């Protein structure tokens, strides 16, 4: 079922009005918003956006296919009726554990589709209001801003002399945001009780976990006082609203001038770039985060001199680099070692003997994986990272094909590089990048 993802003009006009009002009057509080969330056109567009993101079903097991088989219009009408009559209650959030890149696991919450659609509708209405309040240094989960934009700005500031760096990391940020303080941050702008009630319901939705034997365990619920579940549609917006308290306090306290510093944040990842005041900036940050009910991950937080050592931020490594063949040094950015290792691990996992897919299927998945990685890692010095990934891909592809075709001896004879990256159609990162912007491949 094809649905347009472009925001309809009527909704865009509403968003523009809300943003302009919030921007023009920083102290204005919005009273009538719940009726907008219940609007038929907003719920329909919210469904289209949720559908485009696909995703697994929640605890009720209802899928998009089932909704569409029984009729989207009737389903949306029922959802709207629940909202208007205020009988809507969120389903429990299904929790799954996903592996973290650095080891360990991260909890991901999967709300039901009905909850995802209503959360998306709320986000369509609330986001423009808070967007007007967010500080310049906040890049996470915002329209027309990306993690790569945050990396570019960090690099630009380093090149302007802000090389005394606090490389910071918050401990379990999403799990520790205090509900009462978060709701106060929301209430500074939103007075509509029905909207605040919705947010409170989502924050306190029970969480369903199942163990290896399929045994069900419920946690959270009304007793929950902290955390916003990662995976919920509205969670990223709420997380930025809370982090904005720190950024706003930094600005209003005049710390930028005092420490000759800038903060760049992306959700729970942030760096402070200063001229010789990183230690003081870190001490101040530690105190303020404690007041906010948050804590720094001391093992992952450090002070670095970016002229002499590297630090990792959002998958990139920033710091001193040398031009090829012993050339002069400069401050650069490139994919971090961990990021390169991560894509190599994913390639190896895809090209295992157990993968019985046809070659066109395997190639499609491989190219999608490589294309997505290269689209993100498209800034800074890329040549050595791209070459390393290309070498690994070539090695894995030839091994995979030799096993499949039972080829003896050296695989490079049967599958030379030109053949793998030519007729076999594997994406060569170095070549693709070279077509677009050769200057970036230093």
């Amino acid at each position: 079922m094809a649905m347009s993802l472009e925001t309809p003009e009527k909704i865009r006009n509403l968003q523009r009005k809300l943003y302009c009002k919030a921007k023009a009057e920083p102290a204005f509080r919005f009273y009538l918003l719940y009726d907008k969330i219940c609007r038929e056109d907003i719920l329909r567009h919210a469904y289209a956006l949720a559908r485009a993101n696909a995703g697994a079903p929640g605890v009720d097991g209802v899928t998009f296919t089932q909704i569409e088989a029984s009729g989207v219009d009737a389903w949306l009408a029922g959802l709207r009726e629940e909202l208007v009559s205020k009988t809507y209650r969120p389903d429990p959030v299904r929790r799954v554990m996903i592996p973290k890149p650095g080891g360990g696991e991260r909890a991901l919450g999967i709300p039901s589709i009905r909850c995802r659609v209503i959360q998306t509708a709320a986000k369509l209405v609330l986001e423009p209001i808070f967007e007007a309040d967010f500080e310049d240094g906040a890049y996470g989960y915002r329209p027309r801003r990306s993690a790569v934009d945050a990396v570019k700005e960090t690099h630009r500031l380093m090149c302007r002399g802000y090389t005394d760096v606090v490389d910071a990391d918050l401990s379990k940020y999403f799990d520790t945001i205090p509900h009462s303080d978060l709701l106060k941050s929301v209430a500074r702008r939103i007075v509509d009780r029905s909207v605040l009630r919705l947010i409170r319901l989502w924050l306190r939705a029970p969480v369903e976990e199942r163990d290896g034997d399929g045994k069900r365990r419920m946690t959270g619920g009304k007793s929950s006082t902290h955390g916003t579940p990662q995976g919920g549609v509205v969670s990223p917006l709420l997380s930025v609203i809370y982090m904005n308290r720190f950024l706003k306090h930094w600005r209003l306290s005049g710390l930028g001038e005092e420490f000759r510093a800038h903060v760049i944040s992306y959700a729970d990842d942030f760096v402070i770039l200063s001229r010789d005041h990183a230690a003081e900036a870190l001490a101040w940050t530690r105190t303020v985060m404690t007041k906010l009910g948050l804590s720094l991950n001391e093992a992952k937080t450090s002070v670095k001199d970016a002229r002499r050592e590297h630090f990792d931020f959002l998958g990139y490594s920033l710091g001193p680099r040398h031009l090829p063949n012993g050339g002069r040094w400069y401050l650069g950015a490139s994919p971090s070692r961990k990021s390169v290792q991560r894509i190599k691990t994913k390639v190896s996992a895809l090209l295992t003997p157990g993968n019985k897919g046809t070659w066109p299927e395997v190639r499609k998945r491989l190219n999608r994986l490589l294309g997505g990685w290269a689209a993100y890692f498209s800034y800074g010095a890329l040549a050595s990272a791209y070459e390393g990934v290309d070498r690994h891909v070539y090695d894995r592809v030839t091994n995979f094909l030799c096993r499949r075709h039972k080829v003896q001896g050296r695989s490079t004879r049967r599958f030379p590089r030109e053949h793998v990256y030519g007729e076999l159609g594997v994406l060569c990162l170095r070549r693709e990048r070279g077509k677009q912007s050769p200057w970036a491949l230093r």
Side-chain angles (χ1 to χ4, degrees), residues 164 166 274 276-284 286 303:
D164 197 20
V166 177
S274 80
D276 307 318
H277 291 282
E280 297 103 300
L282 175 54
W284 183 88
R286 203 175 270 124
V303 170

Side-chain angles (χ1 to χ4, degrees), residues 137-139 150 154 165-171 173 243 246-247 250 262-273 281-282 284-286 289 294-297 300-302 311-314:
Y139 285 83
T154 303
V165 178
V166 177
D167 176 13
D169 186 84
L170 286 167
S171 272
Y173 174 61
M243 187 64 182
F246 168 75
L247 299 172
W250 166 276
H262 297 266
V263 186
I264 303 294
S265 91
Y266 191 94
D268 55 340
D269 254 340
F270 68 99
V271 287
I272 302 173
L273 300 115
L282 175 54
W284 183 88
T285 299
R286 203 175 270 124
M289 288 302 180
L294 306 170
S295 60
L296 289 171
N297 181 336
K300 292 185 179 177
T301 299
S302 59
F311 65 95
D312 286 0
F313 184 47
L314 301 174

Side-chain angles (χ1 to χ4, degrees), residues 281-406:
L282 175 54
W284 183 88
T285 299
R286 203 175 270 124
T287 306
V288 172
M289 288 302 180
T290 304
K291 284 179 186 165
L292 290 171
L294 306 170
S295 60
L296 289 171
N297 181 336
E298 296 295 346
K300 292 185 179 177
T301 299
S302 59
V303 170
K304 299 259 174 78
D305 176 358
R307 288 165 303 189
R308 293 184 175 82
E309 50 192 335
H310 292 90
F311 65 95
D312 286 0
F313 184 47
L314 301 174
Y316 279 80
S317 177
L318 297 109
R321 295 186 63 86
H322 282 89
L323 288 169
N325 307 320
R328 65 177 180 81
W329 80 278
Y330 66 99
L331 287 168
S334 60
S336 71
R337 276 185 189 162
K338 277 185 185 171
S339 302
V340 172
Q341 189 50 52
R342 212 170 291 153
I343 186 69
K344 287 180 179 178
T345 303
K346 285 182 179 177
V347 167
S348 299
L350 174 63
L351 298 171
T352 56
N355 187 338
K356 304 295 185 198
T358 65
W359 172 247
E361 285 168 4
V362 173
R363 180 186 59 207
K364 186 180 176 184
R365 285 178 63 195
L366 176 64
N367 285 350
R368 192 185 296 138
L369 189 65
L370 294 170
W373 188 85
Y376 182 79
F377 293 104
S378 57
Y379 178 72
L382 302 167
S384 62
Y386 277 20
E387 274 170 19
V389 174
D390 282 342
R391 267 198 308 272
H392 182 79
V393 168
Y394 175 66
D395 181 51
R396 294 292 89 208
V397 166
T398 51
N399 271 0
F400 178 78
L401 293 172
C402 281
R403 276 196 309 268
R404 181 165 279 194
H405 297 289
K406 299 184 171 54

Side-chain angles (χ1 to χ4, degrees), residues 26 38 40 45 47 58 80 100 109 121 129 134 142 151 181 190 203 244 254 272 276 345 354 400:
C38 300
E40 202 176 312
H45 186 54
Y47 178 84
R80 186 168 181 273
K100 284 168 82 169
I129 295 167
F134 290 150
R142 292 180 64 188
V151 171
D181 290 340
I190 312 295
L203 289 174
N244 201 58
I272 302 173
D276 307 318
T345 303
F400 178 78

Side-chain angles (χ1 to χ4, degrees), residues 45-81:
H45 186 54
Y47 178 84
L49 294 172
R51 179 76 175 89
N53 285 330
V59 292
D60 59 1
V62 174
T63 64
F64 286 106
T65 309
Q66 288 170 341
I67 292 166
E68 280 153 26
S70 59
V72 175
D73 290 350
W75 187 84
L76 284 171
L79 206 58
R80 186 168 181 273
E81 175 51 39

